[in-house]
Amino acid sequence: MEQKERQKREFMLPDMDSTFRVFGAHWRTVDKDWSYPLHKHPIFEINLVLSGTQEFIVDRTRYEQKPGDLLLFRPGDRHESRVIGREEMTYYCLHFDVDEPSFRELLCRSPRCFYPSDSELAMAIRPALDKLIELTSEESVVRTEARMHILSALFELFAVISGTLSKLNQDPAGARSSEVASQVAALLEQAVENVEERGIFDDKDTITAIAVAVGYSTSSVNRMFTRAFGVSPRQYLSTLMLKKSKLLLMDPELTVEEISAKLGYNNIAHFSRQFKRWTGESPSRYRDRFHE
């Protein structure tokens, strides 16, 4: 009996399948006349001033960013910047994207983008940012060991951002909208997981069916989902399909035609066009490059 009781106790990590991408992370020193024009992008951005002073205008709101001050941009935030004062300015910038739904939701629900150096978030993530700043060099690009340290620092950064924003972002008014968006995200993931069983896959029909399932109009679902995750349901669905496509292409036992059928495309040409639209290269080229 005692033996059976011991066998009942088991602890396991949950299954996880999440992807994050980092773009153009860099630190840079610029002169006192430097400026960057108004722009926006479909990814998140962290901007940290290390020395000097920078003026940011974000969606018509002005911020004066001094050493240690942090800006956290969401997809679509329109922003421009310039150096102010009589000295050069050094800053660190990190663009990233994540497909983990709860983390995206936390980032998009954040009611503010500016965090002074003495704020809880700026102080919490500074150690991980300092590690990344130290690792940002030409050498880190080629050394496997350094690249693993970079990944470790990124996971640490994202974990601290997630934990801190969870405490800061208490928004009871948006709780119902957030719950619906999370349901939609789960149903989109389930649709992609079961795509082979469904036959021909159509993103518009899929989103319409999910809207019906959660009891809202398609336009309402689009609005709530975009507010929660920073991308539309259709964009999120494309991200999930691309990830599944890449995973299947890593299997050398499957032909591209078989993969196309598994993903619900009515012919291989359609799949190839869509994959090239997502990545800029054909499925065959991606597979060859992966196995080089």
Side-chain angles (χ1 to χ4, degrees), residues 147-165:
R147 291 171 67 89
M148 294 303 103
H149 284 305
I150 292 170
L151 287 172
S152 174
L154 285 168
F155 278 118
E156 179 183 340
L157 173 68
F158 295 152
V160 173
I161 291 175
S162 177
T164 307
L165 289 182

Side-chain angles (χ1 to χ4, degrees), residues 68-235:
D69 292 345
L70 181 78
L71 277 155
L72 176 57
F73 299 116
R74 297 162 296 190
D77 284 345
R78 294 171 61 84
H79 52 284
E80 59 184 309
S81 61
R82 68 184 182 94
V83 176
I84 56 177
R86 299 183 177 180
E87 59 182 28
E88 62 185 21
M89 186 263 296
T90 300
Y91 69 96
Y92 184 73
C93 180
L94 175 73
H95 298 91
F96 68 96
D97 200 12
V98 291
D99 64 10
E100 206 288 315
S102 59
F103 187 34
R104 284 195 71 94
E105 184 182 358
L106 276 173
L107 290 166
C108 291
R109 283 178 58 197
S110 180
R112 53 194 285 207
C113 65
F114 180 71
Y115 296 88
S117 60
D118 60 353
S119 66
E120 186 173 356
L121 182 65
M123 291 190 293
I125 72 173
R126 187 60 190 267
L129 281 177
D130 285 342
K131 289 179 185 177
L132 287 168
I133 292 168
E134 184 179 353
L135 287 163
T136 303
S137 67
E138 184 177 354
E139 182 183 11
S140 68
V141 175
V142 295
R143 287 181 50 211
T144 301
E145 179 186 357
R147 291 171 67 89
M148 294 303 103
H149 284 305
I150 292 170
L151 287 172
S152 174
L154 285 168
F155 278 118
E156 179 183 340
L157 173 68
F158 295 152
V160 173
I161 291 175
S162 177
T164 307
L165 289 182
S166 293
K167 291 190 294 182
L168 297 177
N169 294 353
Q170 303 296 328
D171 180 20
R176 178 56 186 161
S177 175
S178 174
E179 181 183 341
V180 172
S182 296
Q183 289 177 338
V184 171
L187 290 170
L188 288 170
E189 291 166 10
Q190 183 180 337
V192 171
E193 186 65 26
N194 300 332
V195 62
E196 189 174 358
E197 303 169 11
R198 294 164 59 94
I200 300 299
F201 189 80
D202 183 275
D203 52 3
K204 185 177 179 180
D205 289 346
T206 299
I207 294 167
T208 300
I210 288 174
V212 171
V214 298
Y216 287 86
S217 67
T218 304
S219 59
S220 294
V221 164
N222 278 322
R223 185 173 61 255
M224 288 186 285
F225 192 92
T226 303
R227 185 185 303 127
F229 294 109
V231 294
S232 69
R234 189 171 186 175
Q235 289 171 315

Side-chain angles (χ1 to χ4, degrees), residues 33-50:
D33 298 319
W34 179 88
S35 65
Y36 203 90
L38 182 66
H39 66 288
K40 64 178 180 177
H41 38 66
I43 54 180
F44 299 94
E45 177 183 340
I46 292 173
N47 190 287
L48 173 73
V49 164
L50 300 172

